[in-house]
Amino acid sequence: MAGMIRLVVNGRAVAVDDDPATPLLYVLRDTLELNGAKFGCGLGQCGACSVLLDGRPIFSCQVPVGDLGGRRITTLEGLGTRARPGAVQQAFIAEQAAQCGYCTAGMIVRAHALLERVANPTEGEIRAALEPNLCRCGAHWRILRAVRRAGAARRTAPG
Ligand code: FES
Ligand code: FES
C-alpha cells in the first residue's frame, strides 16, 4: 500500500502507515505493541527508549520513522523472551540489576550492542557505552556487574 513504511523489527518484516514524522518509539509501542523501550524524557537525554538500528544503539524518541524505511531495528523483545532470556537479560536477573526498572530495557539493549562489538570490554568501555543512559535509582554497580557477567557468559557459551 502506498505510504506504508517498511521496517525489519526483531527479524520480522513489518509495514506501518504512521505519519513519517512519528518518532520510532511511538511506532514501536503504540503501533507494534512492543513496550520494552520506554518513554522517559522524549528529548534524547535519558536512554530509556534505546533500541538498535542496524546493530547500533539509538534514542528511538528522536528518530522519525519515515527516515527508517528498510532498516533493521532490534528492541528488548528481540534479545530474548521471558522463557528464554538472552545472556544480558539473564545477567541482569542474576545480579538483580534493577530497582524501579525504568532504565533497564535501555541498559540491556546498549550492553548487548557493546558485547556484540567487544567480547571482553574493560570497565571503562562498559561505562562509556552505558553513559548515555541514566539510572535514577543508583543501580549502577549492579548494572556494571551484570554487564561483566553477561560478557563472561557469552565468552564461555558453547558454539
Ligand atoms: S525517552 Fe528517549 S532519550 Fe529519554
Ligand atoms: S533502576 Fe530505576 S532508573 Fe534505573
Side-chain angles (χ1 to χ4, degrees):
M1 191 171 140
M4 297 291 273
I5 300 162
R6 295 179 190 283
L7 309 166
V8 179
V9 180
N10 298 332
R12 188 168 64 93
V14 298
V16 298
D17 65 356
D18 294 84
D19 185 307
T22 309
L24 172 63
L25 177 63
Y26 299 171
V27 175
L28 292 172
R29 292 182 57 86
D30 300 339
T31 307
L32 299 175
E33 298 183 350
L34 293 168
N35 295 315
K38 301 288 183 279
F39 181 95
C41 64
L43 298 169
Q45 293 177 356
C46 77
C49 65
S50 296
V51 302
L52 304 180
L53 175 62
D54 295 332
R56 295 210 161 283
I58 58 162
F59 295 145
S60 63
C61 70
Q62 294 296 293
V63 183
V65 68
D67 289 356
L68 300 178
R71 307 287 293 277
R72 191 166 53 86
I73 290 145
T74 306
T75 70
L76 180 75
E77 292 89 342
L79 301 183
T81 63
R82 193 177 288 260
R84 297 194 60 182
V88 184
Q89 292 163 323
Q90 284 179 37
F92 270 65
I93 294 166
E95 295 291 348
Q96 291 289 287
Q99 199 161 313
C100 80
Y102 212 79
C103 69
T104 310
M107 293 289 188
I108 288 174
V109 163
R110 213 166 265 276
H112 176 85
L114 169 66
L115 295 175
E116 287 284 292
R117 201 161 43 79
V118 186
N120 191 8
T122 63
E123 177 92 7
E125 286 171 323
I126 298 172
R127 285 171 181 264
L130 299 184
E131 196 272 332
N133 289 26
L134 300 182
C135 173
R136 292 164 199 272
C137 293
H140 302 84
W141 289 110
R142 282 178 283 161
I143 291 169
L144 289 172
R145 276 205 302 272
V147 179
R148 286 197 296 269
R149 177 189 277 259
R154 286 169 55 112
R155 292 194 299 279
T156 56

